[in-house]
Amino acid sequence: YIQDRLTLENAEAPSSKQNLKLNNKHSASRFKSGASNSNSNSFLDANDSLIGSHQTKKRKLNFSSSPVKESQNQVESNQILESVHAEAVPDKETTVSNKNIKIIANFNPKKYKYRTMNLKLLEIADYLDEKIDDVSQIVADRYNLEDTQFADPTRQSQSEIYTVGRIVPDSPLASTSELNLESLFLETSRSNGFGCRVHLDLSNVSKASFFSGQIVAFRGINATGDTFKVIENLKIPYLGSISYTSEEIQNFADIIGDDNLKVVVASGPYHSKKSLDFTHLENFVNHINTVIKPDVVIMLGPFIDIQAVPNILSNSFFNTGEDIDDLKSLDDLFVSFVSPILSDIKCQRVILLPHGSDVTNPHTPYPQAPFNRKSLSLPKTFKCFPNPSLFNINELSFGVSTADILRDLKDVTTKDANSNRIERIVEHVIQQRQFYPVNPPPDAPDDRSFQLDTSYLGLSEFNDEMPDILILPSVVKSFIKVVKNVMVINPGSVVRPDGSRGSYALMQVKCPDISDMNKIAGNTEDEEEVTEVYLATAWKRARVDIFST
């Protein structure tokens, strides 16, 4: 982007300096999806010269030319904006600061390091077909259906059939905003329908919503050969929750003791769109160290937002009086200005997830590889996870994704469907068993950067159990909801686009107590002996507060 901008400016003003050269051969490719050099995202200073080598030290930038503006109706810092279960789970001060917190990653990080800009149509088709076929088997098991009861919905028939397919618009060029109940088609897999599409008649369906890319199961009939009339919309069964034995629960209880497990969740951006002022981030870190004292901090990107880079360059951002001649790349900017602030966080573990707009991560498509902890000079207490991620903190299972599904999923509803849009979207995510089930994604507006690698979307699917805590940061208003026994958190952003204070989430979970947990029967490893196991039931014993930063 920067290289194209400079070329355009030179073409428009031939009398200006013509000696703008990028000595780093990877500097232009950093802003393309296939770049692989983590230290190649070079940028230019206000004098159009390449900035030199870096030193790792903590520094502040002065922003006298563009001060942070606080809106007139700005709430006070660290004020509670929303709470869930505040009465059931009292706030507790941290008494034990060195708990043996156990974090288990439920993913293979090597699978996320795939080659970008290497899309193959056959691989994409294979994944899309496999997804339909997998759901077909799930539906068959749930409703006790035989293979012979499934048929091709695109073929004319006078008999009712069962079918599983993907919701698509009537035209490949149609925008998701143009979807309506009259324009929806069903796309089949190549194994059962040759990948053909058929128009849907949903006049008999109530209490349902549909979106592009949604996997659905129908019972219906195609009497004319042109339209498949849906008689019944079969619900795809939800995943179960992870369970533990009484011994495991007691071990987790011993770790927490009389405290609550405290987890802070914060999402970027951590600066405004017009400057890289990290004052709010520094104040936020100081607050959680001195007041909250959490056990775990989950921080989500973007940390340095690529959307802000054009504004920074056009506003001569580097005329700040700060000596930055020793910086040569945006990675160096992160190391010098962001890493020292993050390294001051005092807790057992800090978990970092990237965002598609992070300039310091060369892997931008979703699903996204993690940050390189060593190249960003972060201490060993930091864990860099991919986007999305599934992991456990003690007995609690977490699912986190920075792709904004709450904004991107545009659905159309039948009558009597759930009128709360946010809850509908969360239910879709839970039922589809995937963090980002929209396919294809909506057209990207100018204010965001999102690239989707469809052939690797299997990495965005849930495992065999549904997470207890689902973290879905979004540009929509922050919220906390319990949907289908899943605690869903949108923490908002630490800094708003105009540079004013944003929000973050603090979750406090009571020490697990077997007497308060749901008991179920399960098989042991030999599958012959039946034993009692317990569900984590995080949604019952977790308190979540949204605070202003």
Side-chain angles (χ1 to χ4, degrees), residues 216-237:
V216 292
F218 292 141
R219 176 173 66 89
I221 186 172
N222 187 349
T224 63
D226 298 325
T227 301
F228 184 77
K229 185 177 181 62
V230 178
I231 299 174
E232 181 183 5
N233 178 23
L234 284 75
K235 289 187 176 181
I236 299 173

Side-chain angles (χ1 to χ4, degrees), residues 239 390 399 429-435 458-467 470:
L239 285 169
L390 293 164
V429 170
I430 293 174
Q431 188 177 63
Q432 296 290 298
R433 309 180 180 199
Q434 191 169 24
F435 286 105
L459 298 175
S460 70
E461 296 179 9
F462 301 144
N463 293 332
D464 296 332
E465 292 91 14
M466 187 63 207
L470 198 57

